[in-house]
Amino acid sequence: LLSSPSTIFQAPDGNGGVYAALEKSKCIANMKERGIETIFMYGVDNALVRVADPIFVGSFVESKFGCGCKVVPKASPDERVGILVKKDGVVQVIEYSEISEEMANQRNDDGSLTYNTANIVTHIFTLDSLQEICKRSEEMPYHLAKKNMTVFNPE
């Protein structure tokens, strides 16, 4: 695909690309040298993010976990958003394009969506945990995300 008559079309690598970039750029080593212990990250397209939300940060610190992820209830079964799930004993994000319509519409006894934990790309990490994730960034799975892109069409 071309984006212009002389340019190959390139797409961004998604939210997961930040981990490889942090490793490659030596930012993790720089943070370690500066004594940074906790990192709050959020997606640039989340205009409503509450940066360093004190309840989120406080809950994370009290939990003693290595990372935390803020989620909100999905607005509807067909909302195009990744969700957090536990798969094979590991909590991970799966994209809206990776779940069946049946799963997307599955309901609990109270009528709420079973798969309802919408990832709003707001995360917090200990530096050690983030460093481990960044070292393994090449092992992260690719996710299909269906997007409308404009490409060059000579016709």
Side-chain angles (χ1 to χ4, degrees), residues 74 77 83 85 94 98-107 113-116:
K74 285 179 67 172
I83 56 174
V85 299
I94 60 171
E98 297 173 310
I99 65 171
S100 67
E101 187 174 340
E102 181 182 336
M103 283 179 67
N105 286 289
Q106 187 174 326
R107 302 271 177 176
L113 290 172
T114 302
Y115 299 99
N116 195 31

Side-chain angles (χ1 to χ4, degrees), residues 95-98 142-146:
E95 289 300 327
Y96 58 88
S97 58
E98 297 173 310
Y142 287 95
H143 298 279
L144 175 64
K146 297 175 184 174

Side-chain angles (χ1 to χ4, degrees), residues 9 16 20 40 42 46 62 64 79 83 85 87 106 117 126:
F9 178 81
F40 181 92
Y42 65 94
N46 184 349
E62 282 188 8
K64 307 282 190 232
E79 183 177 10
I83 56 174
V85 299
K87 183 178 178 184
Q106 187 174 326
T117 51
T126 63

